[in-house]
Amino acid sequence: MKKRWHLFIFLSLSALISQAQFTIKGKVFEADNKEAMPFVPLVIKGTNFIAQTDFDGNYTIKCNQLTDSIICTFVGYQRLARKIDKSLPEQIINFAMNNEGGTKLEEVIIKAGDNPAHRIVRNTVKNKTKTNKTNLKAYEYETYNKLEFDLNRIPKEMRDKKVFKPIAFVFDNVDSSNSAEKPSLPFFIVENLSQFYYKSNPARKKEVVIATKITGIENSSISQVLGDMYQNINVYENNILIFGKQLPSPLSENGLFYYKYYLEDSAFENNQYIYHIRFKPKRVQELSFTGNMWIADTTWGIKRLEMSLPKDANINFINSANIVQEYTYTDSTWMLSKDRLVIDFAPTKKAIGFYGRKTTSYKKIKLNQPKEEKFYEFGDKVIVNEDSIKRSDEFWAQNRHDSLTLREKKIFKMIDTIQSLPVYKTWVDIFTIFVSGYKDFNNFEIGPYSNLVSYNRVEGLRLRFGGRTSDMFSKWFELSGYVAYGILDEKWKYALGFRSFVTKKPTRQLVGMNYRSDYEILGQSTNGFSQDNVLASFFRTSPLTNLTRVDNVNAYYSREWFPGLLSVATLVGRRFTPVGTNKYYETKRDGAIGEKEDVTNTEARLNVRFAWKEKYVGDGFKRLSIGSRFPVLQVNYAKSLQNAFKGEYDYQKLVINVSDRIRITPILGYTDYIIEGGKIWGKVPYVLMELHGGNQTYLYDYMAFNMMRYYEFTSDQFVSAAVFHHFEGLFLNKVPLLRKLKWREVITCKAVIGSVNDKNRTTLIFPTTLNDLSKGPYVEASAGIENIFKVFRIDVFYRATYQFAEQSKNIGIRFGFQLAL
């Protein structure tokens, strides 16, 4: 009996031991940039105990049996095994995955039958109308965004230098040896909580920003572009617009043309199969994605997605870009639940750059419960609640979707300290000067620096000093002005300006007045360098002698009716006085030709600009447009006021301009076009007609006829067209030796046709250099290469009509500077 009792105790203990629980948890991240890797499988060697990392790269395995190691494998990464300590019931094991020389699956060519991955992708594309949330009647949800920027790859020898000594504590607070963090300098972090609403038929969007917490920048308007309105990447669309580039979605209807698909695995979850599909570009260096997606077989919706830009993609300043999305099945539709975008910006792969991390989560999802039509208002609108930036720490603790990590808590404290240091302020000043051309001195900004010193044949050496008040002085009004002096002509030039907001919300209204007395180049495009720009001084094709002194005074009222629709009413008085070799001649009443001292004119103008769903960053005077996906229409009407303020002429002028960017297919690049037409009714001198914009510099001018001279052609009625096509490396990417340069091809063609009424030829006698377009249209074309060293472009132009007798003058070279991704 006693032996039996001992046996019972022994068997019971053995059963308990066999059921003992061991827990292994940890994180899987990339070795080079320390970014979390989601959806990565792990297995305890020699067992069936497996796990998969979550959205943030974390995993947990609970088991009752341990072996000597745990293994982590993922396509494209080296297989990695870590030792298990069998004496510990709970332990943490992290994996730093290396993608150099990693696991790669050999391509298998199936000659008989169809690629099973193609069948799955075709079914998913076929069911996009059911799974794409934009096809729902309506939806709404609460969205939480977190955005962070860190300066990275700061070499240790640089961190030890004197300039970094004041912020050495930042690097001391980041331990990169055992964590998923990498030494970096955080300079911006923001949290945003908003409620997003959408309805279809017609499509309307509305977003209400409930709370914003910003550290590292003083512009609270950044919260307007952090929400779902502007930042959503929808894989169900045929093309995805990211970084201003159009890339084909892996679920594009033409996906089989752009991608190779591979069926990696399948698993049975929640009564349905989940297929793991890997995809990669079909052609080298083409703008497309590489990655993995997990598709549910019954609903054919995306459950998980992770994709990135290929390392050889023809895109600048971005070492890597990773997109990770997780979906939840909600009322017959797969809705996005988590979204992460991680970007590594840098001039080169090893240079100092910065990380951008944006994480978004979605909660409180409601489907097919539309609001009343008036709720959405007209157009897409982002409303920022007045108290959004005043939320307490308690509010954030209760409403934040995910709690802040220890690292993020440190960042909020560190950034405030960093901003107070002189070295930080110096960096900000350098960046501001580079971008805006102005140096900030508290209440005032001095600049632009590109116009401080210049040279031309009329003024000789020209010196200029100017500036404007800053937002610190006032966020409601701005004063500006400058004075300039020519050493050769010994004359002063000057300008004064004032503008003020009337209202900022709900409509943006401004009033302003300007007075300017300075030299101008008539017959130059509106985009051309001013006559006192230092670059134009050095790169002119011929000396600048044909200048006009323009005394201009104007007063205006501007109103934005809704984002994208702007109207400006202006009263303008101008006096044109010829300078240098330029002279005005008119026919006197007795028929004799005499010199005219100046031309005086007064106009009332109404300008209307419409860009449907145009988006902006900022709400002050320096607001920046980030564009519209629709054509931009501009209508400019002017009526002269004869005898008012010495106005000499009676006429009306109407100019209509349409511009847009057309993206046909990702592989063919994109086309920009501008079409403009105008007409003048009445009798006017040539200085008030349309002087078609020429360019007498070696610098490329987007808006000008680059082979046309100043004062060469004029019209009182005209139609012009300009087409610019960017191939984005379509041809050069196919040449092995040139592929690494990442050059991109560009072609342009411009034309204008017009005429001059006979009565306008004698109002002011045309100079010998000025002509009309009675012989037909003026046409020029060019072919060039852009993205040379990532910042230059060179174009070869050909003047097809109105050619010069000397053929070499009909061909010209222009170069330009451009920073483009």
Side-chain angles (χ1 to χ4, degrees), residues 391-447:
R391 299 296 188 181
S392 64
D393 291 340
E394 291 76 13
F395 173 89
W396 282 106
Q398 294 174 4
N399 293 276
R400 186 183 283 121
H401 287 192
D402 295 304
S403 59
L404 294 177
T405 64
L406 179 61
R407 177 181 180 278
E408 289 166 341
K409 291 177 181 178
K410 287 182 179 180
I411 290 174
F412 274 113
K413 295 180 181 179
M414 287 190 293
I415 290 179
D416 291 335
T417 305
I418 291 170
Q419 284 186 305
S420 65
L421 298 175
V423 64
Y424 176 85
K425 295 178 180 178
T426 300
W427 293 345
V428 171
D429 286 344
I430 294 173
F431 180 77
T432 302
I433 292 173
F434 179 76
V435 173
S436 69
Y438 285 81
K439 172 68 173 68
D440 190 356
F441 292 94
N442 296 324
N443 289 325
F444 299 95
E445 298 175 354
I446 305 302

Side-chain angles (χ1 to χ4, degrees), residues 56 84 102 131 147 179 181 225 247 259 269 271 302 306 398 461 490-491 539 556 567 589 610 711-712 786 788 791:
D56 298 311
I84 295 176
T131 52
L147 179 67
S179 72
E181 300 176 26
V225 294
L247 280 70
Y259 293 101
E269 298 179 13
N271 298 318
I302 296 291
E306 65 88 12
Q398 294 174 4
L461 182 67
E490 297 182 342
K491 294 185 181 297
F539 295 106
Y556 65 87
S567 63
R589 292 184 177 179
F610 178 61
Y711 264 103
E712 188 174 2
E786 56 186 354
I788 301 173
V791 294

Side-chain angles (χ1 to χ4, degrees), residues 690-788:
E690 186 69 25
L691 289 165
H692 301 296
N695 181 16
Q696 287 182 237
T697 73
Y698 290 106
L699 300 172
Y700 173 73
D701 185 347
Y702 177 82
M703 296 294 294
F705 292 95
N706 284 275
M707 294 300 293
M708 186 185 291
R709 297 175 177 176
Y710 304 138
Y711 264 103
E712 188 174 2
F713 294 104
T714 188
S715 303
D716 57 23
Q717 59 181 356
F718 72 96
V719 175
S720 66
V723 179
F724 318 82
H725 187 77
H726 302 258
F727 287 100
E728 296 282 82
L730 174 62
F731 305 108
L732 296 178
N733 284 349
K734 307 298 186 294
V735 183
L737 295 178
L738 296 178
R739 183 183 298 153
K740 292 184 178 181
L741 297 174
K742 295 187 177 182
W743 289 353
R744 303 168 187 168
E745 317 84 351
V746 58
I747 57 174
T748 72
C749 183
K750 296 182 179 181
V752 59
I753 186 169
S755 62
V756 177
N757 192 299
D758 289 339
K759 62 183 178 183
N760 288 332
R761 297 176 187 273
T762 57
T763 305
L764 203 63
I765 297 175
F766 282 20
T768 56
T769 59
L770 187 63
N771 306 279
D772 60 18
L773 293 165
S774 58
K775 296 179 181 179
Y778 172 89
V779 180
E780 68 179 33
S782 74
I785 297 175
E786 56 186 354
N787 205 45
I788 301 173

Side-chain angles (χ1 to χ4, degrees), residues 356-408:
R357 300 180 179 91
K358 181 177 181 291
T359 304
T360 307
S361 57
Y362 306 84
K363 291 185 176 181
K364 302 177 183 178
I365 299 173
K366 295 181 182 180
L367 304 183
N368 297 321
Q369 300 178 33
K371 307 287 185 182
E372 294 182 3
E373 187 70 28
K374 63 180 181 181
F375 171 82
Y376 298 94
E377 302 184 32
F378 184 65
D380 298 346
K381 194 163 187 178
V382 179
I383 299 174
V384 181
N385 286 348
E386 294 292 339
D387 58 350
S388 62
I389 61 174
K390 301 176 183 178
R391 299 296 188 181
S392 64
D393 291 340
E394 291 76 13
F395 173 89
W396 282 106
Q398 294 174 4
N399 293 276
R400 186 183 283 121
H401 287 192
D402 295 304
S403 59
L404 294 177
T405 64
L406 179 61
R407 177 181 180 278
E408 289 166 341

